[in-house]
Amino acid sequence: MSQYLMTHSLLGAWLRSMKDNPFEEGDDPEKETALEEFMHVLRREKTPATIAMQRGIDFEDLVTSILTDGRPVPYHWENKDKMILLETHPPEKHPYYEAACKVANMVRGAKLQYVAQKPVVIDGMELLLYGRLDAMKEGRIFDIKFSGSYERGKYRDSTQHPMYYKLVPEIMNFTYIVSNGSDVWTEVYWFDEIPRIEPVITDFLHWLRDMNLMETYKQYWGALG
Amino acid sequence: MIKKPEDFDLGEKKIRMLLAGPPGIGKSTLAMSAPAPLLIDTDGGFDRVEFMYRKDRLVANSYQEILDDLQPQNLKEYQTLVIDTAGRMQSYMSAWAIAQDAKNGQRGGQLSQRGYGAIKREFNRLIDYMFVTLQKNIIVICHSVEEKEDDVIKQRLKLEGGFKNDVWEPMDLGGFIEIQGNNRVLSLANTEKHFGKCTHGLQQAYIIPDLSKGGENNFLTNLFAEYNQVNQAEAKHIEEAKALYQAAMTGGRLLIADVKDAQTANETFPLLAKLEHRLTSEREIKAEWVAKMKELGLVYDKATGQYVQGVKA
């Protein structure tokens, strides 16, 4: 039997599409619906990074730079709906440096970008659960988020901590470290309050079958043996 | 006092708690059920507490007056300091911060971006001072407001700017008081409707005793005692796990450090399997082993089950 990759990003994109109601879309006909965004993810199509995504990437690169080699890090900004690269800074000159230092101090000594995977059978399908952890140490997983509109509890319904807890069940807790570039907040989920990921995956597989998208999933998400 | 790592600190821990809920639901009265409380009354909460449940209060017209009164010699008989409310304290701190430095304000009296940073630092300093220096429990009372999001009515803290996130950071416990049926309930859980903070081991929700027919107002005193009991057991369990984790990491790293070539790698590899692992030590040591093999250019030959020299990284 073949094995298929399953990631929290795929599940997250699907859940966002489920919340999206195409009949209540705003008045911008060119705006992609969450379902269209999900289809890009399902077909593993590369889409250009949004400004929010790019800032997250820049911030994470900055934290990594502070922790490792001190390499210069880009700084993007949005100007009239266009993303522009303002400058590339040495870490200590970067506008987010102080916040990134706080984050770096929290994850110092951790294994960065640790890849975890686990074969499972769910709803009769052989799946390979896969995750790339931002940082792991001392029984804790840390995920670094950049958010300009963070509000406590934002990640409660995320599939990320349930998926990563399934991948690394020996953890005590999962901590989201969130920054807006100046402030840093933490949102901690202890192992005994993390829901199981299996029901979400089961629902996802049923939905794929109901929508005749299972073959598309199999086409793009086959795991290499 | 110098302590050894194995000396677990299992004494009674002071507690920092956020108590939120809509106006009039009984937050101030509930806060008065904490051990030996002093109400820092910036919001007239005292007037809403039934006479028989009233306790001492600190009344001030400015943040500086509060600071002046919060001296150790004034606070000997109190175990818990209650900030009632965080929103009013934020207003007091805003005026204080602008008086300290005009750049903390804008025309019109609102805080500038820099001012928000200043009161965030000051709030953290105040909580640290009350907790670490004065050694008191802290209760921060906060009004909540309802916001509709995706057809769900959510309870949010009624605070300005990033302060609504900042206020959670130092807290050990936090929850919302809400009405469920005929009961008032303190919910410490993360739910669809609100966030909570509950050191794991406690119940997710507690029914608050009905004081309308009298009775002792001691709910939070009992909750704090339960928290300490749970926390002590949990802290011991976690410390033991961390000690074993550290032993595995130290042992594994010593073994890996001695690997110089294929021969020492093959001698060491079986020893790694004998380490007793806890938490994530096995994964971390494996990751360090893989990095070391890569650094030395050693590859695992499946046929012979041995490491052999490959190409150096």
Side-chain angles (χ1 to χ4, degrees):
Chain A
M1 197 164 17
S2 302
Q3 198 178 42
Y4 302 96
L5 278 178
M6 184 62 66
T7 68
H8 91 85
S9 308
L10 178 62
L11 293 172
W14 171 64
L15 285 175
R16 278 194 298 280
S17 77
M18 291 294 95
K19 280 187 178 175
D20 193 40
N21 183 344
F23 300 104
E24 291 185 9
E25 268 303 297
D27 45 15
D28 181 356
E30 296 195 0
K31 189 184 165 221
E32 267 199 338
T33 66
L35 186 59
E36 284 166 330
E37 283 176 29
F38 164 73
M39 290 307 297
H40 288 307
V41 178
L42 185 64
R43 294 191 206 104
R44 302 186 83 170
E45 292 164 353
K46 292 217 165 156
T47 50
T50 63
I51 183 67
M53 287 160 66
Q54 189 57 52
R55 281 185 192 151
I57 293 165
D58 290 354
F59 188 74
E60 212 174 305
D61 283 351
L62 180 60
V63 172
T64 307
S65 171
I66 291 166
L67 287 171
T68 56
D69 52 6
R71 68 180 181 278
V73 178
Y75 173 53
H76 289 84
W77 203 250
E78 193 174 19
N79 186 14
K80 293 176 185 169
D81 296 333
K82 276 190 176 176
M83 185 162 57
I84 50 172
L85 172 62
L86 282 186
E87 278 174 85
T88 295
H89 292 283
E92 62 279 8
K93 300 282 184 196
H94 199 284
Y96 301 152
Y97 180 66
E98 278 187 31
C101 278
K102 286 183 201 163
V103 177
N105 286 334
M106 289 181 192
V107 301
R108 197 175 297 281
K111 295 285 165 290
L112 302 178
Q113 299 302 315
Y114 178 86
V115 172
Q117 45 192 23
K118 176 178 270 188
V120 293
V121 177
I122 295 178
D123 202 38
M125 275 189 82
E126 278 193 30
L127 303 171
L128 184 65
L129 307 186
Y130 177 93
R132 185 179 284 272
L133 286 48
D134 283 350
M136 178 183 71
K137 71 170 176 179
E138 295 176 354
R140 302 177 72 179
I141 292 173
F142 301 87
D143 194 74
I144 301 166
K145 301 282 188 202
F146 189 90
S147 172
S149 59
Y150 171 68
E151 189 156 348
R152 194 164 189 89
K154 179 173 181 173
Y155 301 106
R156 176 183 163 267
D157 294 329
S158 170
T159 50
Q160 192 166 7
H161 54 285
M163 175 65 97
Y164 287 9
Y165 178 46
K166 179 73 183 172
L167 286 168
V168 188
E170 61 268 39
I171 55 166
M172 291 188 295
N173 60 44
F174 183 107
T175 301
Y176 293 97
I177 306 175
V178 193
S179 180
N180 58 3
S182 56
D183 295 307
V184 176
W185 303 283
T186 54
E187 206 171 292
V188 182
Y189 292 90
W190 281 82
F191 68 89
D192 53 359
E193 63 179 330
I194 299 177
R196 293 169 68 240
I197 192 67
E198 289 91 328
V200 180
I201 296 175
T202 303
D203 287 350
F204 177 57
L205 296 175
H206 287 181
W207 182 86
L208 286 174
R209 289 192 188 102
D210 291 347
M211 301 296 286
N212 292 322
L213 287 169
M214 182 56 89
E215 289 311 310
T216 310
Y217 169 65
K218 286 182 174 177
Q219 182 184 347
Y220 291 96
W221 292 82
L224 294 175
Chain B
M1 186 188 296
I2 298 170
K3 288 189 175 185
K4 299 283 185 197
E6 60 272 23
D7 296 335
F8 301 126
D9 191 358
L10 296 180
E12 186 184 288
K13 186 179 177 294
K14 298 298 177 192
I15 294 163
R16 292 157 293 192
M17 181 178 199
L18 180 75
L19 208 51
I25 201 163
K27 299 184 291 295
S28 302
T29 302
L30 187 64
M32 293 299 95
S33 72
L38 172 68
L39 185 74
I40 302 170
D41 189 12
T42 59
D43 205 18
F46 180 81
D47 300 335
R48 294 187 289 273
V49 177
E50 285 283 331
F51 188 81
M52 65 187 294
Y53 300 121
R54 288 181 181 179
K55 305 281 181 175
D56 292 358
R57 62 177 167 153
L58 188 163
V59 183
N61 292 315
S62 71
Y63 182 60
Q64 190 57 54
E65 278 184 43
I66 294 171
L67 291 180
D68 292 343
D69 283 340
L70 285 180
Q71 298 303 319
Q73 65 273 18
N74 300 336
L75 303 168
K76 285 178 187 155
E77 61 187 285
Y78 306 109
Q79 293 178 45
T80 306
L81 301 176
V82 180
I83 296 175
D84 187 5
T85 59
R88 286 291 295 168
M89 183 63 97
Q90 189 183 17
S91 303
Y92 276 30
M93 279 184 175
S94 300
W96 173 86
I98 293 168
Q100 300 275 313
D101 185 344
K103 287 180 185 164
N104 287 330
Q106 303 178 48
R107 269 183 229 163
Q110 301 101 322
L111 280 176
S112 62
Q113 201 62 33
R114 177 188 164 123
Y116 277 110
I119 66 162
K120 176 188 172 167
R121 284 191 297 279
E122 181 55 22
F123 180 77
N124 286 334
R125 192 205 62 78
L126 176 69
I127 296 291
D128 279 352
Y129 170 68
M130 287 161 57
F131 186 70
V132 179
T133 309
L134 298 176
Q135 292 274 303
K136 308 293 182 191
N137 297 307
I138 301 165
I139 296 175
V140 177
I141 292 177
C142 196
H143 289 310
S144 67
V145 287
E146 289 187 341
E147 285 176 12
K148 196 175 176 191
E149 190 181 316
D150 295 338
D151 295 331
V152 177
I153 306 279
K154 298 192 172 188
Q155 295 285 334
R156 295 279 182 257
L157 300 184
K158 193 179 174 189
L159 292 171
E160 285 181 34
F163 199 58
K164 61 167 92 66
N165 296 322
D166 302 333
V167 74
W168 282 101
E169 281 301 302
M171 298 298 144
D172 301 300
L173 288 174
F176 283 73
I177 304 176
E178 55 194 17
I179 304 289
Q180 291 182 10
N182 294 324
N183 295 314
R184 281 186 314 142
V185 171
L186 173 63
S187 173
L188 301 171
N190 291 317
T191 70
E192 195 176 30
K193 288 190 332 198
H194 59 68
F195 199 74
K197 197 166 184 180
C198 167
T199 300
H200 87 122
L202 286 184
Q203 283 175 220
Q204 301 280 292
Y206 291 81
I207 293 175
I208 300 168
D210 179 8
L211 296 175
S212 62
K213 297 185 183 89
E216 202 179 344
N217 189 23
N218 58 4
F219 175 81
L220 288 182
T221 299
N222 294 336
L223 183 69
F224 284 10
E226 185 186 344
Y227 172 88
N228 266 314
Q229 204 174 10
V230 168
N231 193 55
Q232 284 167 17
E234 191 59 31
K236 189 169 188 296
H237 175 73
I238 289 171
E239 287 306 319
E240 285 169 356
K242 279 189 175 175
L244 286 167
Y245 163 88
Q246 206 52 58
M249 292 300 292
T250 305
R253 282 172 177 160
L254 283 171
L255 288 170
I256 292 170
D258 283 342
V259 175
K260 310 282 183 225
D261 50 27
Q263 185 187 337
T264 47
N266 288 316
E267 287 165 5
T268 304
F269 191 55
L271 301 179
L272 283 179
K274 291 182 181 169
L275 290 170
E276 190 186 349
H277 287 288
R278 277 293 185 283
L279 303 174
T280 47
S281 65
E282 188 170 10
R283 291 175 191 274
E284 292 181 62
I285 286 295
K286 270 187 186 168
E288 291 183 22
W289 174 262
V290 169
K292 183 69 181 258
M293 294 303 101
K294 196 174 171 189
E295 178 193 323
L296 294 173
L298 299 176
V299 290
Y300 188 70
D301 181 355
K302 282 183 184 171
T304 61
Q306 296 283 301
Y307 281 91
V308 294
Q309 189 65 53
V311 183
K312 276 205 176 184

